[in-house]
Amino acid sequence: MEETTNKRQENKMGVMPINRLLLTMSLPMMISMLVQALYNIVDSIFVSQINEYALRAVSLAFPIQSLMIAVSVGTAVGINAFLSKTLGQKQYEKANIIATNGIFIEAVSAAVFAMIGLFVSRPFFTSQTDIAQVREYGVTYLTICCCAGAGIFLQTAFERILQSTGKTFYTMITQGTGAVVNLILDPILIFGYFGLPKMGVAGAAAATVIGQMVAALLAIIFNLKCNREIHLSFKNFRPDLRLIGQIYKVGAPSIVVQAIGSVMTYGMNLILAAFGAAQTVFGVYFKLQSFIFMPIFGLNNGMVPIIAYNYGAGKRERVIQTMKSSIMFAVGIMMAGLAAMQIFPAQLLGFFNATEELLVIGVPALRTICLSFCFAGYCIVVGSVFQALGNGVYSMVVSIARQLCVLLPVAYLLSLSGNVNMIWWAFPIAELMSLGMSTFFLIRINRNIIQHIGEEQARERS
């Protein structure tokens, strides 16, 4: 028994050199996130071959899809941080109970979104466009994604359980496999190859949910076969409302932060409705920027359990070093993305079968919006640090202020000029505000929490 406990105490998150640990845990996630971003882009590239209305429909569906991701990933952030901290405190039985409760609430969330797909899809599209073909494409696509969307919730839950114990390599396999399945099925189902019926946008949706289900199945198998630190069992299971509340204490702010992005996207689509193909350009931008942001989210997925584990273990210097290294890597990625969008905007839009109208609106849009990348990497990492330290409400406040209190109002005011090119300046303006608020909260959390990490453990030793 003592030997088993000693082995458990040797978790790499508490002993491995930070830069090596961060890269070890983050690189698999960054690679898998890049693959996911790639298949999101390729998905839209295939859809754009149908026609521009199909591409616009998929773009307009993004707020609801983003909301699904917000709930699944935000809940999983709470599971991940709570599990990692509990494992750092060597409370292994409690960790098992946290994991099963986390899986339960992800399954309930999937059922809720199935209802949204059935009853909300049509009014949602009707509110954004009066073009009948766009509405019909969109309702078909979104209904399939929501009603068959259990895969994304289960995939996220089981992947974050793997991440909480440092097994990020397996999550690279699950996400990568799901993405490859999606990529293979996209052209087959959209255009009807190999004797299958031509499904159009319905085929794109079907390819997406099948890829998610395959990834979820793999994540379940890896947890059952390879994750020795967490033992999952639903025998005599009953939801523990207290533990679920603690999961959402960290996860709810993350859900709100990401859900606010859905509200912002929906609001921007309403503002841009009067500017022709601007809605499509905005959707294409989000597909492209995911290729830059996804690796940073992968970096954060590796960073959060490291910080949470060492916070629970009372190792302040490791927390600080992890934070500094993550910021450095994130800023470097964002600078590369900034350069790409400044130098190659027309070529990037060309991947989406861009018309002359799309190019006229899209080139200045990409060049303006990407100026926000100068600050975004720092802000994203700092927001995840807040979550890892159990103060996700700070991330929520910054996100609300940036997207709802600054970005949307500024975009609306700039739209009154009648010049669509002015609207895009709302993004760098909002990011400047985010930079200031994130720094203010980081100083505060450093004073109140980070500087006191390890004091309790020191008192216990004395």
Side-chain angles (χ1 to χ4, degrees):
M1 185 69 174
E2 183 177 350
E3 183 180 353
T4 302
T5 302
N6 288 336
K7 287 182 179 179
R8 279 177 163 170
Q9 290 174 343
E10 294 172 2
N11 189 296
K12 65 181 179 181
M13 289 189 287
V15 295
M16 186 181 288
I18 290 298
N19 283 337
R20 179 183 167 198
L21 174 63
L22 186 61
L23 290 174
T24 298
M25 292 190 62
S26 297
L27 274 178
M29 292 304 306
M30 293 169 73
I31 292 170
S32 62
M33 288 287 193
L34 271 173
V35 173
Q36 279 198 313
L38 178 62
Y39 90 69
N40 284 334
I41 291 173
V42 173
D43 191 62
S44 292
I45 290 173
F46 283 129
V47 169
S48 71
Q49 304 305 310
I50 300 173
N51 56 50
E52 195 264 326
Y53 283 165
L55 178 59
R56 188 179 303 186
V58 172
S59 298
L60 292 179
F62 181 76
I64 296 292
Q65 288 185 291
S66 179
L67 187 60
M68 290 179 68
I69 295 170
V71 174
S72 63
V73 172
T75 302
V77 165
I79 298 168
N80 192 353
F82 196 10
L83 270 178
S84 295
K85 184 178 179 182
T86 303
L87 289 169
Q89 295 169 334
K90 317 304 177 188
Q91 300 179 37
Y92 301 108
E93 290 304 319
K94 182 179 179 181
N96 295 334
I97 299 172
I98 292 168
T100 52
N101 276 272
I103 294 166
F104 168 75
I105 56 180
E106 290 276 21
V108 171
S109 299
V112 170
F113 273 94
M115 295 298 102
I116 291 174
L118 288 173
F119 300 110
V120 179
S121 295
R122 186 164 294 279
F124 174 74
F125 271 92
T126 301
S127 71
Q128 295 185 93
T129 180
D130 57 2
I131 302 174
Q133 192 174 6
V134 174
R135 287 203 304 265
E136 293 309 312
Y137 280 145
V139 170
T140 299
Y141 181 83
L142 190 57
T143 301
I144 294 172
C145 286
C146 288
C147 292
I152 186 62
F153 291 92
L154 295 178
Q155 173 190 350
T156 305
F158 282 96
E159 284 177 350
R160 291 305 177 98
I161 293 171
L162 288 167
Q163 290 170 28
S164 70
T165 57
K167 296 173 177 62
T168 54
F169 177 77
Y170 294 110
T171 61
M172 180 183 71
I173 296 175
T174 59
Q175 292 189 1
T177 302
V180 170
V181 169
N182 190 338
L183 283 171
I184 293 172
L185 291 180
D186 255 330
I188 294 174
L189 298 181
I190 291 172
F191 304 114
Y193 296 144
F194 304 113
L196 293 174
K198 183 178 180 180
M199 297 174 66
V201 293
T208 296
V209 297
I210 292 171
Q212 292 167 351
M213 290 175 183
V214 170
L217 180 61
L218 279 177
I220 292 170
I221 292 171
F222 285 140
N223 268 285
L224 295 177
K225 299 294 186 181
C226 306
N227 199 345
R228 305 300 182 188
E229 294 180 83
I230 300 293
H231 301 283
L232 299 172
S233 174
F234 284 90
K235 185 178 181 180
N236 301 320
F237 170 76
R238 288 186 180 181
D240 188 321
L241 297 182
R242 184 182 61 83
L243 289 181
I244 290 173
Q246 288 181 278
I247 289 172
Y248 278 124
K249 182 181 178 182
V250 175
S254 179
I255 292 172
V256 172
V257 166
Q258 296 181 72
I260 287 168
S262 298
V263 175
M264 182 276 292
T265 306
Y266 179 72
M268 283 295 295
N269 282 331
L270 296 181
I271 292 170
L272 295 170
F275 295 92
Q279 284 181 328
T280 308
V281 167
F282 185 55
V284 168
Y285 160 73
F286 261 97
K287 297 293 184 179
L288 291 172
Q289 64 105 41
S290 69
F291 200 70
I292 302 160
F293 280 67
M294 281 294 191
I296 297 180
F297 295 148
L299 174 70
N300 282 354
N301 288 342
M303 177 195 74
V304 166
I306 297 173
I307 290 181
Y309 184 95
N310 286 286
Y311 175 35
K315 298 180 179 182
R316 181 175 65 244
E317 291 304 318
R318 291 181 66 81
V319 170
I320 294 172
Q321 190 179 348
T322 301
M323 183 176 64
K324 289 180 177 179
S325 295
S326 299
I327 291 172
M328 179 186 68
F329 291 140
V331 170
I333 293 169
M334 296 307 290
M335 290 302 99
L338 172 66
M341 284 202 179
Q342 287 292 333
I343 299 170
F344 306 112
Q347 290 85 346
L348 292 172
L349 291 166
F351 288 124
F352 299 87
N353 200 28
T355 62
E356 187 62 31
E357 184 185 10
L358 279 176
L359 289 172
V360 168
I361 297 175
V363 169
L366 295 189
R367 283 180 169 159
T368 302
I369 297 173
C370 75
L371 295 175
S372 63
F373 294 179
C374 297
F375 321 111
Y378 166 85
C379 294
I380 292 170
V381 170
V382 168
S384 292
V385 170
F386 298 156
Q387 294 166 5
L389 296 176
N391 284 262
V393 69
Y394 289 167
S395 300
M396 181 177 67
V397 170
V398 173
S399 186
I400 291 173
R402 183 177 74 86
Q403 299 188 81
L404 301 188
C405 299
V406 178
L407 198 156
L408 281 181
V410 170
Y412 173 74
L413 291 173
L414 292 174
S415 73
L416 299 179
S417 68
N419 183 355
V420 68
N421 292 333
M422 295 296 296
I423 298 174
W424 313 120
W425 284 99
F427 287 88
I429 291 171
E431 204 64 52
L432 273 172
M433 184 282 307
S434 178
L435 174 67
M437 288 192 68
S438 296
T439 301
F440 170 79
F441 284 130
L442 180 59
I443 293 170
R444 185 171 181 176
I445 206 170
N446 179 62
R447 182 177 65 246
N448 295 335
I449 295 179
I450 296 175
Q451 291 303 318
H452 300 286
I453 293 174
E455 291 180 356
E456 182 179 347
Q457 287 81 357
R459 284 194 298 269
E460 290 176 355
R461 286 194 297 269
S462 62

